[in-house]
Coordinates of all heavy atoms in Angstrom, one line a residue:
R47 N 220.2 118.1 -10.8 CA 219.0 118.9 -10.9 C 219.3 120.1 -11.9 O 218.5 120.4 -12.7 CB 218.5 119.4 -9.6 CG 217.6 118.3 -8.9 CD 216.9 118.9 -7.7 NE 217.8 119.6 -6.7 CZ 218.3 119.1 -5.6 NH1 218.0 117.7 -5.4 NH2 219.0 119.7 -4.8
K48 N 220.4 120.8 -11.5 CA 220.7 122.0 -12.4 C 221.0 121.6 -13.8 O 220.5 122.3 -14.7 CB 221.9 122.6 -11.8 CG 221.8 123.4 -10.4 CD 223.0 124.1 -10.0 CE 222.8 125.0 -8.8 NZ 224.1 125.6 -8.4
L49 N 221.7 120.5 -13.9 CA 222.1 120.1 -15.3 C 220.8 119.6 -16.1 O 220.8 120.0 -17.2 CB 223.1 119.0 -15.2 CG 223.7 118.5 -16.5 CD1 224.5 119.5 -17.3 CD2 224.7 117.3 -16.1
D50 N 220.0 118.8 -15.5 CA 218.8 118.3 -16.2 C 217.9 119.6 -16.6 O 217.3 119.5 -17.7 CB 218.0 117.4 -15.2 CG 218.7 116.0 -15.0 OD1 219.6 115.8 -15.9 OD2 218.3 115.4 -14.1
R51 N 217.8 120.6 -15.8 CA 217.0 121.7 -16.2 C 217.5 122.4 -17.4 O 216.8 122.8 -18.3 CB 216.9 122.7 -15.0 CG 215.9 122.3 -13.9 CD 215.5 123.5 -13.1 NE 216.7 124.0 -12.3 CZ 217.0 123.7 -11.1 NH1 216.3 122.8 -10.5 NH2 218.1 124.2 -10.4
R52 N 218.8 122.5 -17.5 CA 219.4 123.3 -18.6 C 219.5 122.3 -19.9 O 219.2 122.7 -21.0 CB 220.9 123.6 -18.3 CG 220.9 124.8 -17.3 CD 222.3 125.3 -17.1 NE 222.3 126.5 -16.3 CZ 222.3 127.8 -16.8 NH1 222.4 127.9 -18.2 NH2 222.2 128.8 -16.1
M53 N 219.7 121.1 -19.7 CA 219.8 120.1 -20.9 C 218.4 119.9 -21.4 O 218.2 119.5 -22.5 CB 220.3 118.8 -20.3 CG 221.7 118.8 -20.1 SD 222.7 118.9 -21.6 CE 224.4 118.5 -21.0
S54 N 217.3 120.2 -20.7 CA 215.9 119.9 -21.1 C 215.6 120.7 -22.4 O 214.8 120.2 -23.2 CB 214.9 120.3 -20.0 OG 214.9 121.6 -19.7
I55 N 216.3 121.9 -22.6 CA 216.0 122.6 -23.9 C 216.5 121.9 -25.1 O 216.0 122.1 -26.1 CB 216.7 124.0 -23.8 CG1 216.0 124.9 -24.8 CG2 218.2 123.9 -24.0 CD1 216.4 126.4 -24.7
L56 N 217.4 120.8 -24.9 CA 217.7 120.0 -26.1 C 216.5 119.3 -26.7 O 216.4 119.0 -27.9 CB 218.8 119.1 -25.6 CG 220.2 119.6 -25.3 CD1 221.1 118.4 -24.8 CD2 220.8 120.2 -26.6
I57 N 215.6 118.8 -25.8 CA 214.4 118.2 -26.2 C 213.6 119.1 -27.2 O 213.2 118.7 -28.3 CB 213.5 117.8 -25.1 CG1 214.3 116.8 -24.1 CG2 212.3 117.1 -25.6 CD1 213.6 116.4 -22.9
L58 N 213.4 120.3 -26.8 CA 212.7 121.3 -27.6 C 213.5 121.5 -28.9 O 212.9 121.6 -30.0 CB 212.5 122.6 -26.8 CG 211.8 123.7 -27.6 CD1 210.4 123.2 -28.0 CD2 211.6 125.0 -26.7
I59 N 214.8 121.6 -28.8 CA 215.5 121.8 -30.1 C 215.4 120.7 -31.0 O 215.2 120.8 -32.2 CB 217.0 122.1 -29.8 CG1 217.1 123.3 -28.9 CG2 217.9 122.1 -31.0 CD1 218.6 123.6 -28.4
Y60 N 215.4 119.5 -30.4 CA 215.3 118.2 -31.3 C 213.9 118.2 -31.9 O 213.8 117.7 -33.1 CB 215.6 117.0 -30.4 CG 216.1 115.8 -31.3 CD1 216.5 116.0 -32.6 CD2 216.0 114.5 -30.8 CE1 216.8 114.9 -33.4 CE2 216.5 113.5 -31.4 CZ 216.8 113.6 -32.8 OH 217.3 112.5 -33.5
I61 N 212.9 118.6 -31.2 CA 211.5 118.7 -31.7 C 211.5 119.5 -32.9 O 211.1 119.1 -34.1 CB 210.6 119.2 -30.7 CG1 210.3 118.1 -29.6 CG2 209.2 119.5 -31.4 CD1 209.5 118.6 -28.4
L62 N 212.1 120.8 -32.9 CA 212.1 121.6 -34.0 C 213.0 121.2 -35.0 O 212.7 121.3 -36.3 CB 212.5 123.0 -33.5 CG 211.5 123.7 -32.5 CD1 212.2 124.9 -31.9 CD2 210.3 124.1 -33.3
N63 N 214.1 120.5 -34.7 CA 215.0 119.9 -35.7 C 214.2 118.9 -36.7 O 214.4 119.0 -37.9 CB 216.2 119.2 -35.0 CG 217.1 118.5 -35.9 OD1 216.9 117.4 -36.3 ND2 218.2 119.2 -36.2
Y64 N 213.5 118.1 -36.0 CA 212.8 117.1 -36.9 C 211.5 117.7 -37.5 O 211.2 117.1 -38.6 CB 212.4 115.9 -35.9 CG 213.3 114.6 -36.4 CD1 214.6 114.5 -36.0 CD2 212.7 113.6 -37.1 CE1 215.3 113.4 -36.4 CE2 213.4 112.5 -37.5 CZ 214.7 112.4 -37.1 OH 215.5 111.3 -37.5
I65 N 210.9 118.6 -36.9 CA 209.7 119.2 -37.6 C 210.2 120.0 -38.8 O 209.6 119.8 -39.9 CB 209.1 120.2 -36.6 CG1 208.2 119.4 -35.5 CG2 208.2 121.2 -37.4 CD1 207.5 120.3 -34.5
D66 N 211.4 120.7 -38.7 CA 211.9 121.4 -39.9 C 212.3 120.3 -41.0 O 212.1 120.6 -42.2 CB 213.1 122.2 -39.6 CG 212.8 123.4 -38.7 OD1 211.6 123.7 -38.8 OD2 213.6 124.0 -38.1
R67 N 212.8 119.2 -40.5 CA 213.3 118.2 -41.5 C 212.0 117.5 -42.2 O 212.2 117.2 -43.3 CB 214.2 117.2 -40.7 CG 214.8 116.2 -41.6 CD 215.5 115.2 -40.8 NE 216.5 115.8 -39.8 CZ 217.3 115.0 -39.0 NH1 217.2 113.8 -39.1 NH2 218.1 115.6 -38.2
N68 N 211.0 117.2 -41.4 CA 210.0 116.4 -41.9 C 208.7 117.2 -42.4 O 207.7 116.6 -42.7 CB 209.6 115.4 -40.8 CG 210.6 114.3 -40.6 OD1 211.5 114.1 -41.4 ND2 210.5 113.7 -39.5
S69 N 208.8 118.5 -42.4 CA 207.7 119.3 -42.9 C 207.3 118.9 -44.3 O 206.1 119.1 -44.6 CB 208.0 120.8 -42.7 OG 208.1 121.1 -41.4
V70 N 208.2 118.5 -45.0 CA 208.0 118.3 -46.4 C 207.0 117.2 -46.6 O 206.2 117.3 -47.6 CB 209.3 118.0 -47.2 CG1 209.9 116.8 -46.8 CG2 209.1 118.1 -48.7
T71 N 207.0 116.2 -45.7 CA 206.0 115.1 -45.9 C 204.6 115.5 -45.6 O 203.7 115.0 -46.3 CB 206.4 113.9 -45.0 OG1 206.4 114.3 -43.6 CG2 207.7 113.3 -45.4
A72 N 204.5 116.4 -44.7 CA 203.1 117.0 -44.4 C 202.7 117.9 -45.5 O 201.6 118.0 -46.1 CB 203.1 117.8 -43.1
A73 N 203.7 118.7 -46.1 CA 203.4 119.7 -47.2 C 203.0 118.9 -48.4 O 202.2 119.4 -49.3 CB 204.7 120.5 -47.6
R74 N 203.4 117.6 -48.6 CA 203.1 116.8 -49.8 C 201.6 116.6 -49.8 O 201.1 116.5 -50.9 CB 203.8 115.4 -49.6 CG 203.6 114.5 -50.7 CD 204.3 113.1 -50.4 NE 204.4 112.3 -51.6 CZ 204.8 111.1 -51.6 NH1 205.0 110.4 -50.4 NH2 204.9 110.4 -52.7
L75 N 200.9 116.6 -48.6 CA 199.5 116.4 -48.6 C 198.7 117.6 -49.1 O 197.5 117.5 -49.4 CB 199.0 116.1 -47.3 CG 199.6 114.8 -46.6 CD1 199.1 114.6 -45.2 CD2 199.2 113.5 -47.4
R76 N 199.4 118.8 -49.2 CA 198.7 120.0 -49.6 C 199.3 120.6 -50.8 O 199.5 121.8 -50.8 CB 198.6 120.9 -48.4 CG 197.5 120.6 -47.4 CD 196.1 120.7 -48.0 NE 195.1 120.4 -47.1 CZ 194.4 121.3 -46.4 NH1 194.7 122.6 -46.4 NH2 193.5 121.0 -45.5
G77 N 199.7 119.9 -51.8 CA 200.1 120.5 -53.1 C 201.6 120.7 -53.3 O 202.0 121.4 -54.3
F78 N 202.4 120.3 -52.4 CA 203.9 120.5 -52.5 C 204.4 119.9 -53.9 O 205.1 120.6 -54.7 CB 204.6 119.9 -51.4 CG 206.1 120.0 -51.5 CD1 206.7 121.2 -51.0 CD2 206.9 119.0 -51.9 CE1 208.1 121.3 -51.0 CE2 208.3 119.1 -51.9 CZ 208.9 120.3 -51.5
E79 N 204.1 118.7 -54.2 CA 204.6 118.0 -55.4 C 204.0 118.7 -56.7 O 204.7 119.0 -57.6 CB 204.1 116.6 -55.4 CG 205.0 115.7 -54.5 CD 204.6 114.3 -54.6 OE1 203.6 113.8 -54.1 OE2 205.4 113.5 -55.2
E80 N 202.7 119.1 -56.6 CA 202.0 119.7 -57.7 C 202.6 121.1 -58.0 O 202.9 121.5 -59.2 CB 200.5 119.8 -57.5 CG 199.8 118.5 -57.5 CD 200.0 117.7 -56.1 OE1 200.5 118.3 -55.2 OE2 199.5 116.6 -56.0
D81 N 202.8 121.9 -56.9 CA 203.3 123.3 -57.1 C 204.7 123.3 -57.6 O 205.1 124.2 -58.4 CB 203.2 124.1 -55.8 CG 201.8 124.4 -55.5 OD1 200.8 124.1 -56.2 OD2 201.5 124.9 -54.4
L82 N 205.5 122.3 -57.3 CA 206.9 122.3 -57.7 C 207.0 121.4 -59.0 O 208.1 121.3 -59.5 CB 207.8 121.8 -56.6 CG 207.9 122.6 -55.3 CD1 209.0 122.1 -54.4 CD2 208.1 124.1 -55.7
H83 N 206.0 120.9 -59.5 CA 206.0 120.0 -60.7 C 206.9 118.9 -60.6 O 207.8 118.6 -61.5 CB 206.3 121.0 -62.0 CG 205.6 122.2 -62.0 ND1 204.2 122.3 -62.2 CD2 205.9 123.5 -61.8 CE1 203.8 123.5 -62.3 NE2 204.8 124.3 -62.1
L84 N 206.8 118.2 -59.5 CA 207.7 117.1 -59.3 C 207.2 115.8 -60.0 O 206.0 115.6 -60.2 CB 207.9 116.7 -57.8 CG 208.3 117.8 -56.9 CD1 208.4 117.4 -55.4 CD2 209.6 118.4 -57.3
E85 N 208.2 115.0 -60.5 CA 207.8 113.8 -61.3 C 208.7 112.6 -60.8 O 209.8 112.8 -60.3 CB 208.0 114.0 -62.8 CG 207.2 115.2 -63.4 CD 207.6 115.4 -64.9 OE1 208.7 114.8 -65.3 OE2 207.0 116.2 -65.5
G86 N 208.2 111.4 -61.0 CA 208.9 110.2 -60.7 C 209.5 110.1 -59.3 O 208.7 110.3 -58.4
N87 N 210.8 109.9 -59.2 CA 211.5 109.9 -57.8 C 211.9 111.2 -57.3 O 212.7 111.2 -56.4 CB 212.6 108.8 -58.0 CG 212.2 107.4 -57.9 OD1 211.1 107.0 -57.3 ND2 212.9 106.6 -58.6
Q88 N 211.5 112.3 -57.9 CA 212.0 113.6 -57.5 C 211.7 113.8 -56.0 O 212.5 114.5 -55.3 CB 211.5 114.7 -58.4 CG 212.2 114.6 -59.8 CD 211.8 115.8 -60.6 OE1 210.6 116.4 -60.5 NE2 212.5 116.1 -61.6
F89 N 210.5 113.5 -55.6 CA 210.2 113.7 -54.1 C 211.1 112.9 -53.2 O 211.6 113.4 -52.3 CB 208.6 113.4 -53.9 CG 208.2 113.6 -52.4 CD1 208.0 115.0 -52.0 CD2 208.2 112.7 -51.5 CE1 207.6 115.2 -50.7 CE2 207.8 112.9 -50.3 CZ 207.5 114.1 -49.8
A90 N 211.3 111.6 -53.6 CA 212.3 110.8 -52.8 C 213.6 111.4 -52.8 O 214.3 111.4 -51.8 CB 212.3 109.4 -53.3
S91 N 214.0 112.0 -53.9 CA 215.3 112.7 -54.0 C 215.4 113.9 -53.1 O 216.5 114.2 -52.5 CB 215.6 113.0 -55.4 OG 215.7 111.9 -56.2
I92 N 214.3 114.6 -53.0 CA 214.3 115.8 -52.1 C 214.4 115.3 -50.7 O 215.0 116.0 -49.8 CB 213.0 116.6 -52.3 CG1 213.1 117.3 -53.6 CG2 212.6 117.5 -51.2 CD1 211.8 118.0 -54.1
L93 N 213.8 114.2 -50.2 CA 213.9 113.6 -49.0 C 215.3 113.2 -48.7 O 215.9 113.5 -47.6 CB 213.0 112.5 -48.8 CG 211.5 112.7 -48.7 CD1 210.7 111.4 -48.5 CD2 211.2 113.7 -47.5
S94 N 215.9 112.4 -49.6 CA 217.2 111.8 -49.4 C 218.4 112.8 -49.4 O 219.4 112.6 -48.7 CB 217.4 110.7 -50.4 OG 217.5 111.1 -51.6
I95 N 218.3 113.9 -50.2 CA 219.4 114.8 -50.4 C 219.7 115.4 -49.0 O 220.9 115.8 -48.8 CB 219.1 115.9 -51.4 CG1 220.3 116.6 -51.9 CG2 218.1 116.9 -50.9 CD1 221.4 115.7 -52.6
L96 N 218.7 115.6 -48.2 CA 219.1 116.2 -46.8 C 220.1 115.4 -46.1 O 221.0 115.8 -45.5 CB 217.8 116.2 -46.0 CG 217.8 116.9 -44.6 CD1 216.7 117.7 -44.3 CD2 217.9 115.8 -43.6
Y97 N 220.1 114.1 -46.2 CA 220.9 113.2 -45.5 C 222.3 113.1 -46.1 O 223.2 112.8 -45.4 CB 220.3 111.8 -45.4 CG 219.0 111.8 -44.8 CD1 217.8 111.6 -45.5 CD2 218.8 112.1 -43.4 CE1 216.6 111.6 -44.8 CE2 217.7 112.1 -42.7 CZ 216.4 111.9 -43.4 OH 215.3 112.0 -42.8
V98 N 222.4 113.4 -47.4 CA 223.7 113.6 -48.1 C 224.5 114.8 -47.4 O 225.7 114.7 -47.0 CB 223.6 113.8 -49.5 CG1 224.9 114.0 -50.2 CG2 222.9 112.6 -50.3
G99 N 223.8 115.9 -47.3 CA 224.4 117.0 -46.6 C 224.7 116.7 -45.2 O 225.7 117.1 -44.6
Y100 N 223.9 115.9 -44.6 CA 224.0 115.5 -43.1 C 225.3 114.8 -42.9 O 226.0 114.8 -42.0 CB 222.8 114.6 -42.8 CG 222.4 114.7 -41.3 CD1 221.5 115.8 -40.8 CD2 222.8 113.8 -40.4 CE1 221.1 115.7 -39.5 CE2 222.5 113.8 -39.1 CZ 221.6 114.8 -38.7 OH 221.3 114.8 -37.3
I101 N 225.5 113.8 -43.9 CA 226.8 112.9 -43.7 C 228.0 113.7 -43.8 O 229.0 113.6 -43.1 CB 226.7 111.8 -44.9 CG1 225.7 110.8 -44.6 CG2 228.1 111.2 -45.0 CD1 225.5 109.7 -45.6
F102 N 228.1 114.7 -44.8 CA 229.3 115.4 -45.0 C 229.7 116.2 -43.7 O 230.9 116.4 -43.5 CB 229.0 116.5 -46.1 CG 229.1 115.9 -47.5 CD1 228.2 116.2 -48.5 CD2 230.2 115.0 -47.8 CE1 228.3 115.6 -49.8 CE2 230.4 114.6 -49.1 CZ 229.4 114.8 -50.1
M103 N 228.8 116.7 -43.0 CA 229.1 117.6 -41.9 C 229.2 117.0 -40.5 O 229.7 117.6 -39.5 CB 228.1 118.7 -41.9 CG 228.5 120.0 -41.1 SD 230.1 120.7 -41.7 CE 230.3 121.9 -40.5
Q104 N 228.7 115.8 -40.3 CA 228.7 115.3 -38.9 C 230.0 115.2 -38.1 O 230.1 115.7 -37.1 CB 227.9 113.9 -38.8 CG 226.4 114.1 -39.1 CD 225.8 112.7 -39.0 OE1 225.2 112.3 -38.0 NE2 225.7 112.0 -40.2
I105 N 230.9 114.5 -38.8 CA 232.2 114.4 -38.1 C 233.0 115.7 -38.1 O 233.4 116.0 -36.9 CB 233.1 113.3 -38.9 CG1 232.5 112.0 -38.7 CG2 234.5 113.3 -38.3 CD1 233.1 110.8 -39.6
P106 N 233.1 116.5 -39.1 CA 233.7 117.8 -39.0 C 233.0 118.7 -37.9 O 233.7 119.4 -37.2 CB 233.6 118.4 -40.4 CG 233.5 117.3 -41.3 CD 232.7 116.2 -40.5
S107 N 231.7 118.5 -37.8 CA 231.1 119.4 -36.8 C 231.4 119.1 -35.5 O 231.6 120.0 -34.6 CB 229.5 119.3 -37.0 OG 228.9 120.0 -36.1
N108 N 231.4 117.8 -35.1 CA 231.8 117.4 -33.8 C 233.3 117.8 -33.4 O 233.6 118.1 -32.3 CB 231.6 115.9 -33.5 CG 230.2 115.7 -32.7 OD1 229.4 116.6 -32.7 ND2 230.2 114.5 -32.1
M109 N 234.1 117.7 -34.4 CA 235.6 118.1 -34.3 C 235.6 119.6 -34.0 O 236.4 120.1 -33.2 CB 236.4 117.7 -35.5 CG 236.5 116.2 -35.6 SD 237.2 115.6 -37.2 CE 238.9 116.1 -36.9
L110 N 234.8 120.3 -34.7 CA 234.8 121.7 -34.6 C 234.2 122.2 -33.2 O 234.7 123.1 -32.6 CB 233.9 122.4 -35.7 CG 233.8 123.9 -35.8 CD1 235.3 124.5 -35.9 CD2 233.0 124.4 -36.9
L111 N 233.2 121.3 -32.8 CA 232.6 121.6 -31.4 C 233.7 121.4 -30.4 O 233.7 122.2 -29.4 CB 231.4 120.6 -31.2 CG 230.8 120.7 -29.8 CD1 230.2 122.1 -29.6 CD2 229.7 119.6 -29.7
I112 N 234.5 120.4 -30.4 CA 235.6 120.3 -29.4 C 236.6 121.5 -29.5 O 236.9 122.0 -28.5 CB 236.5 119.0 -29.7 CG1 235.6 117.8 -29.5 CG2 237.7 118.9 -28.8 CD1 236.2 116.5 -29.9
Y113 N 236.9 122.0 -30.7 CA 237.8 123.1 -30.9 C 237.2 124.4 -30.4 O 237.8 125.2 -29.7 CB 238.1 123.3 -32.4 CG 239.1 124.3 -32.7 CD1 240.5 124.1 -32.5 CD2 238.7 125.7 -33.0 CE1 241.5 125.0 -32.7 CE2 239.7 126.6 -33.3 CZ 241.1 126.4 -33.1 OH 242.0 127.3 -33.3
V114 N 235.9 124.7 -30.7 CA 235.2 125.8 -30.1 C 235.0 125.8 -28.6 O 235.3 126.7 -27.9 CB 233.9 126.1 -30.9 CG1 233.1 127.2 -30.2 CG2 234.1 126.3 -32.4
G115 N 234.6 124.6 -28.2 CA 234.6 124.4 -26.7 C 233.3 125.1 -26.1 O 233.2 125.2 -24.8
K116 N 232.4 125.6 -26.9 CA 231.3 126.4 -26.3 C 230.0 125.9 -27.1 O 229.4 126.5 -27.9 CB 231.4 127.9 -26.6 CG 232.7 128.5 -26.0 CD 232.6 128.7 -24.5 CE 231.6 129.9 -24.2 NZ 231.6 130.1 -22.7
P117 N 229.4 124.8 -26.6 CA 228.2 124.2 -27.2 C 227.1 125.2 -27.1 O 226.1 125.3 -27.9 CB 228.0 122.9 -26.3 CG 229.1 122.6 -25.7 CD 230.0 123.9 -25.6

Side-chain angles (χ1 to χ4, degrees):
R47 278 197 301 270
K48 289 182 177 181
L49 186 57
D50 286 342
R51 283 198 295 268
R52 286 182 173 267
M53 288 289 195
S54 62
I55 197 170
L56 289 174
I57 302 173
L58 180 58
I59 295 174
Y60 202 17
I61 290 173
L62 293 171
N63 178 275
Y64 249 75
I65 285 178
D66 287 342
R67 186 184 308 181
N68 291 341
S69 291
V70 66
T71 57
R74 186 187 194 187
L75 300 175
R76 280 298 180 93
F78 179 84
E79 287 183 285
E80 292 79 6
D81 289 352
L82 300 187
H83 311 292
L84 303 183
E85 301 174 351
N87 284 329
Q88 288 184 334
F89 181 78
S91 298
I92 287 174
L93 289 180
S94 64
I95 195 66
L96 179 140
Y97 301 109
V98 175
Y100 210 88
I101 286 175
F102 280 135
M103 195 56 189
Q104 285 182 92
I105 295 175
S107 176
N108 260 19
M109 295 171 70
L110 184 59
L111 177 58
I112 295 174
Y113 185 82
V114 173
K116 301 285 286 185

